[in-house]
Amino acid sequence: MTTTVQNFIAGLWTGDPSYERVNPADPSDLVAVAVSSTGKEAGAAVAAASDAQSGWAGTAPTARGRVLLDAAELLGHRAQEVALDLVREEGKTRTEALGEVRRAADVLRYFGAQGWRATGEVLPSSFPDTMVYTRREALGVVAVVTPWNFPIAIPAWKIAPALVSGNAVVWKPAELTSLTASHLVRSLADAGLPPGVLNLVNGRGSEAGEALVSHPDVAAVSFTGSTDVGLHIHEVAGRRRARVQLEMGGKNAVVVLDDADVARAAATVAAGAFGLTGQACTATSRVYCTPGIIDGFLASLEKSAGEFEPGDGRKDDVRMGPVVSDAQLRTIRGFVEKAKNDGASFLHGADEPDGLFLRPTIVTGAKPTADIVRNEVFGPVVAVLEVPDLDAAIDAVNDSRYGLTAGICTRDLASAQEFAARAKVGVVKVNRPTTGLDLNAPFGGVRDSSTNTYREQGMAAVEFYTWSKTVYLGHDRPG
Ligand code: NAP
Ligand code: MG
C-alpha cells in the first residue's frame, strides 16, 4: 500500500505529493509519496508557528504535558502499524522498528510529565524582603531537522521537550522517512495539539531545510545529522545568533583488553557494529585489541557476524535489514574498496551486495591513518586493529575528529575507570555496546560530533528549549 504524505501546516494537511520512497528491501514496494517542499512552504510553516506560539506558551504547563501523554497513548496503540511503515520506509528489522516506536512513545511520556515538574529555582537574596527566583521561558519558534536513521525516536526527543516548554515547532524530517515522520505528527494532532504548534515540512534539506534554518523568525535550531551539514547550519543560524544544538557524526571505538571475556566482547562489538545495519551515529566502527586477545576475539567476532545475515526486515527471523539507499550503499562500498586498495584484509563480508543487502564486514590490517579507520562509514563495517596496551588504546580512541561514544570490554575495574576518565567522548560504555541509550540520561558528543553546548535527552533537553529569566520580587512591609 502506498501512502501519500502531505505537509502539516497550521493544523491542516496540505500540498501535492511527488517524492517517491521505495522500500530498500523490496524495489517493487512503493511505500510513500511525499510533498517536496520549497522555501514557500517552510515560510508558511514558520508563520503558522509564530501565530500559535504565544497562545501555547500561555497554556498551563500541565495542559501541555497532557497533550504529550495522550499522544504517547495513541502512538502506543498504533505501534505495530507505525513500526511496519518504519520497516518498509527505512529498512530496519521489525524488532528494531517496534523498539524505536515504543521509545518515541516513552519519550513523549517522560517529557509530558515535565508539565507537572518544577522549573527554575528560588535563591536567597542579599536585599531585604526580596525573593529571587528564575523562570524558564520558551524560546519561541524552533526548527527541528532530523536524519533518517532513527526517524521517529530522534524527532520525539527534540519535539517533546520543545513543546512541553511552550515553544512552537517547525520540523523538517529526512526526505527518505517522511511517512514515519507523519505518524508522530498525527499522534500529537489527534491528542489535541492546537493548530500551528507543530508543523511538518517535508522535502529536501537543500531547499526546505535551508530555508527553515535561515529564517529570521526561527529562534533556535536543533539538528541531528552529518557533520558537514551540521557545521553549515551552525554558520547560517549562528550568524543571527539563533541558539543551535547539533548532534553529528561519530567514529566510535571499542577497546578490548586481554582480560575480557572473549565471546561476550565479540557479541558486544557485533551488536554495536552490525545492529541497525551499522547505521547509527553511535555504531561501533573501530576496535582496538591488546595482543593476548586479538586472535580469539577475531575468531569470535567472525562467528557473531554470521548471525547478522541481511534480509527483509518484514520477515520475523531477520536480524539485520538493508542499507537505506543506493547513495548510502555507494558510500559504504567506496570505503571498502579504498581499504582493499590500501592493503587491508577482510574476515567477513566485503563481497558484492545483493540489492541493498550488505553482509557485515570485518576489516583487519588497516593502517591507523586509513580512511576506513578515520572517517564515518555509517554501515555494517568494523575495522579491528592491534595496540600494545591500554594507554596506546586510549590514545588511538582519542586520535579522532569525532567524540560521540566509546566502549571498553574488560573485567578490570581500574582499567574501566581509567578509560572512562580519559576517553574524549560524550558517552562511555563499559562491557556494553556503543549503541543503545537511556532516554532519561544526557546524550551528546564532543569535538566534531556535537556543538557540545547543550545535551539532548533527560532534563538536559529542557535547558536547550528554554532561557532563564531572573526575577527579584520585593515586598514592602506595611508602615
Ligand atoms: P544529513 O545528510 O546530514 O541530513 C540530516 C538532515 O538535514 C536531513 O533532514 C537533511 O535533509 C537535512 N539537510 C541537509 N542539508 C541541509 C541544509 N543545507 N539545511 C538544512 N537541512 C539540511 O544526515 P543523514 O544522512 O540524514 O543521517 C546520517 C548522519 O546523521 C550520520 O552522519 C550520523 O552520524 C548522523 N547522526 C548523528 C546522531 C547523533 O545524535 N550524533 C544521531 C543519528 C545520526 P535530506 O532529507 O535532504 O537529507
Ligand atoms: Mg545524508
Side-chain angles (χ1 to χ4, degrees):
M1 190 189 75
T2 307
T3 310
T4 52
V5 184
Q6 292 180 292
N7 289 337
F8 189 67
I9 299 175
L12 298 172
W13 293 95
T14 60
D16 296 323
S18 60
Y19 169 82
E20 297 190 345
R21 175 60 180 157
V22 168
N23 183 340
D26 175 3
S28 71
D29 180 22
L30 178 61
V31 181
V33 187
V35 172
S36 205
S37 309
T38 62
K40 191 169 143 242
E41 288 83 1
V46 173
S50 302
D51 286 348
Q53 196 267 326
S54 60
W56 180 241
T59 304
T62 49
R64 297 198 299 256
R66 171 61 61 198
V67 174
L68 269 60
L69 293 174
D70 289 349
E73 289 311 300
L74 291 172
L75 194 56
H77 286 133
R78 300 169 186 170
Q80 296 286 352
E81 173 208 343
V82 177
L84 181 58
D85 280 346
L86 202 167
V87 168
R88 290 171 60 220
E89 191 173 44
E90 198 268 355
K92 280 195 165 97
T93 66
R94 264 179 190 273
T95 310
E96 288 168 347
L98 195 57
E100 185 181 339
V101 175
R102 291 192 171 137
R103 169 58 63 100
D106 281 346
V107 167
L108 292 172
R109 288 189 182 96
Y110 178 82
F111 287 109
Q114 176 64 11
W116 280 263
R117 288 193 198 105
T119 57
E121 53 185 347
V122 180
L123 298 160
S125 175
S126 63
F127 300 102
D129 298 327
T130 305
M131 176 187 176
V132 182
Y133 67 95
T134 62
R135 294 166 49 93
R136 304 287 323 187
E137 307 269 350
L139 300 178
V141 175
V142 304
V144 166
V145 179
T146 52
W148 46 264
N149 68 325
F150 287 100
I152 194 159
I154 289 177
W157 81 51
K158 293 177 186 294
I159 291 168
L163 293 180
V164 80
S165 303
N167 300 284
V169 174
V170 181
W171 173 25
K172 207 302 278 177
E175 191 170 42
L176 292 174
T177 51
S178 313
L179 174 58
T180 307
S182 71
H183 284 297
L184 180 59
V185 173
R186 209 174 285 280
S187 68
L188 282 155
D190 291 350
L193 194 71
V197 174
L198 171 62
N199 305 275
L200 175 71
V201 179
N202 296 294
R204 264 208 306 270
S206 53
E207 285 212 36
E210 184 77 29
L212 182 57
V213 300
S214 7
H215 199 293
D217 296 341
V218 168
V221 181
S222 181
F223 165 87
T224 296
S226 61
T227 298
D228 286 351
V229 173
L231 295 180
H232 167 73
I233 289 177
H234 202 197
E235 251 188 64
V236 172
R239 235 176 271 144
R240 62 173 192 280
R241 290 190 297 132
R243 193 177 279 196
V244 181
Q245 175 182 59
L246 308 173
E247 292 304 338
M248 304 179 282
K251 187 69 190 173
N252 313 294
V254 171
V255 173
V256 181
L257 297 184
D258 281 1
D259 69 89
D261 178 311
V262 72
R264 285 191 179 162
T268 299
V269 166
F274 310 135
L276 305 156
T277 322
Q279 298 176 138
C281 55
T282 51
T284 305
S285 65
R286 311 179 273 157
V287 179
Y288 297 100
C289 293
T290 45
I293 199 167
I294 188 162
D295 292 344
F297 172 79
L298 281 170
S300 231
L301 183 63
E302 190 177 359
K303 216 165 121 218
S304 298
E307 293 163 16
F308 287 87
E309 283 305 313
D312 186 330
R314 287 175 296 188
K315 296 192 190 122
D316 279 341
D317 54 343
V318 167
R319 270 190 81 187
M320 189 175 87
V323 163
V324 76
S325 64
D326 290 323
Q328 194 64 25
L329 184 76
R330 274 196 301 277
T331 307
I332 300 169
R333 296 280 294 159
F335 274 105
V336 171
E337 286 309 312
K338 177 124 199 317
K340 250 184 215 167
N341 295 336
D342 291 348
S345 312
F346 298 88
L347 259 192
H348 194 274
D351 32 19
E352 280 300 308
D354 172 14
L356 293 178
F357 297 112
L358 196 61
R359 293 174 71 224
T361 302
I362 303 170
V363 186
T364 60
K367 293 193 189 70
T369 52
D371 257 8
I372 199 116
V373 180
R374 300 203 70 81
N375 297 315
E376 184 179 53
V377 177
F378 223 60
V381 180
V382 66
V384 181
L385 292 90
E386 186 177 319
V387 287
D389 53 26
L390 176 61
D391 258 350
I394 294 174
D395 287 347
V397 168
N398 289 341
D399 180 21
S400 173
R401 69 182 287 213
Y402 298 110
L404 195 54
T405 66
I408 186 165
C409 296
T410 180
R411 284 184 280 207
D412 179 49
L413 189 56
S415 300
Q417 289 287 54
E418 171 91 8
F419 183 79
R422 286 172 55 197
K424 291 202 174 77
V425 293
V427 177
V428 170
K429 294 283 196 83
V430 179
N431 297 318
R432 294 290 178 268
T434 53
T435 50
L437 301 168
D438 273 318
L439 65 90
N440 57 344
F443 171 64
V446 295
R447 299 190 278 192
D448 280 355
S449 290
S450 173
T451 26
N452 197 16
T453 44
Y454 298 90
R455 289 294 182 232
E456 296 202 277
Q457 309 210 52
M459 280 307 120
V462 174
E463 274 172 41
F464 176 75
Y465 292 104
T466 53
W467 55 279
S468 173
K469 176 189 282 175
T470 308
V471 181
Y472 288 75
L473 181 66
H475 59 282
D476 295 323
R477 287 162 194 262

